[in-house]
Amino acid sequence: MPEIMGEYVDRLCTVEMRPQGMPRGKIHRLYDAARRRQGGRPLTLLAAERLRGVVKAGDSVILATGAGGPPWMPAGETDGPVGVAALARALVIGLGARPVFVTESQSLAALSAAVAAAGLSVVSPEIAAARTGAAVVLEYSKNDAEAQTQAKRLLDQFRPAALIASEKLAPNAKGEIHSVRGVNVTAEHAKIQHLFQSAAQRGVPSIGIADGRNEVGCGLIYDDTRIASVSNYGAYGVSAMLGFLLGDPDLVHDPDTHYRMLEANVREGASDGIYGRPIMKEDGISSLNGHYPAA
């Protein structure tokens, strides 16, 4: 039964439904490549199983996001923050995790708003360590040398059970970070690769959720890479599979919570990644009263 449910959830997460003008026909190829690396099993199921297996009550999980930046998206992008906030909510309710979010300076306010709208208090690391149902939101450095130092510090401080990235831009083989349209945005984005590389050296498992091949996990189709039509949808899919495995439907990302989170994110200036404006869309896909219209 889990395999069947995973098939359906994967299928929903990888439907090509972004607006005309965006590249089509690539999602299924990326998804197939990632799935082959995992022995052919549904990817949302594998991610949920991995998280259930390594995350225990009280464990920290670091979640990274951040794709948009100036000049077009000065407060970040809607795809990414809403997804990791939804997944963190599932981890808190289902597994008792303590989420720690990291992102660029421009996305801090919008990400914090989405996390709070998901029902998690945004607090200091000290307060988060003393209670449940809370989250920490931290700025990650755009400076390469500082990012390397910060990676070690965060891993020592929080000792995470897992790392998750959703819609988090990362460098190519030349060390440059590009937008999905090929624009060099290296200066505007956190050098998050150091955190994931350091975590891998320590044996900390990681999951990447992506939709454009320029995010964490896509360079080599890493073992835990997840490809979705919109990165947020991949995070919703993993949340759904966690709910299924744990027998708790409250972990599933519901329309009302989604609308509240996206609205909070947009109010803080987060922009849709296709239109470059703070509107109620995720990669050009509209949200109307929590429901999505046909593409």
Side-chain angles (χ1 to χ4, degrees), residues 191-212:
K191 307 307 182 284
I192 204 71
Q193 69 271 18
H194 297 301
L195 179 61
F196 280 79
Q197 289 166 354
S198 296
Q201 292 169 1
R202 299 185 185 202
V204 180
S206 62
I207 292 171
I209 303 173
D211 63 15

Side-chain angles (χ1 to χ4, degrees), residues 68 72-82 106-107 109-111 113-114 261-273 276-281:
W72 294 107
M73 289 177 275
E77 184 179 342
T78 56
D79 188 19
V82 181
Q106 64 262 24
S107 298
L111 173 58
M261 292 168 63
L262 182 59
E263 184 178 43
N265 193 234
V266 171
R267 281 183 176 176
E268 290 295 333
S271 298
D272 172 70
R277 293 184 285 117
I279 53 179
M280 294 289 286
K281 295 177 183 286

Side-chain angles (χ1 to χ4, degrees), residues 136-177:
V136 177
V137 181
L138 301 174
E139 178 182 349
Y140 203 88
S141 180
K142 301 175 185 179
N143 177 276
D144 194 78
E146 291 177 359
Q148 294 182 51
T149 301
Q150 188 175 9
K152 182 179 185 301
R153 185 170 68 249
L154 288 175
L155 294 174
D156 289 343
Q157 179 180 1
F158 294 105
R159 299 190 179 279
L163 270 66
I164 300 170
S166 181
E167 191 70 3
K168 181 70 211 83
L169 300 192
N172 58 21
K174 296 180 179 179
E176 298 175 346
I177 301 174

Side-chain angles (χ1 to χ4, degrees), residues 79-242:
D79 188 19
V82 181
V84 289
L87 184 49
R89 173 185 174 276
L91 292 171
V92 169
I93 297 173
L95 299 174
R98 301 178 187 273
V100 178
F101 296 88
V102 290
T103 192
E104 292 84 5
S105 56
Q106 64 262 24
S107 298
L108 281 172
L111 173 58
S112 296
V115 172
L120 303 177
S121 299
V122 179
V123 299
S124 68
E126 293 75 23
I127 293 177
R131 56 160 293 183
T132 58
V136 177
V137 181
L138 301 174
E139 178 182 349
Y140 203 88
S141 180
K142 301 175 185 179
N143 177 276
D144 194 78
E146 291 177 359
Q148 294 182 51
T149 301
Q150 188 175 9
K152 182 179 185 301
R153 185 170 68 249
L154 288 175
L155 294 174
D156 289 343
Q157 179 180 1
F158 294 105
R159 299 190 179 279
L163 270 66
I164 300 170
S166 181
E167 191 70 3
K168 181 70 211 83
L169 300 192
N172 58 21
K174 296 180 179 179
E176 298 175 346
I177 301 174
H178 290 84
S179 73
V180 73
R181 299 182 186 276
V183 178
N184 190 323
V185 294
T186 305
E188 287 80 35
H189 287 277
K191 307 307 182 284
I192 204 71
Q193 69 271 18
H194 297 301
L195 179 61
F196 280 79
Q197 289 166 354
S198 296
Q201 292 169 1
R202 299 185 185 202
V204 180
S206 62
I207 292 171
I209 303 173
D211 63 15
R213 297 180 290 182
N214 58 335
E215 303 100 333
V216 169
C218 287
L220 298 175
I221 305 294
Y222 291 169
D223 286 347
D224 290 310
T225 295
R226 308 285 169 254
I227 305 294
S229 60
V230 178
S231 293
N232 280 353
Y233 294 2
Y236 307 151
V238 177
S239 300
M241 286 309 302
L242 268 175

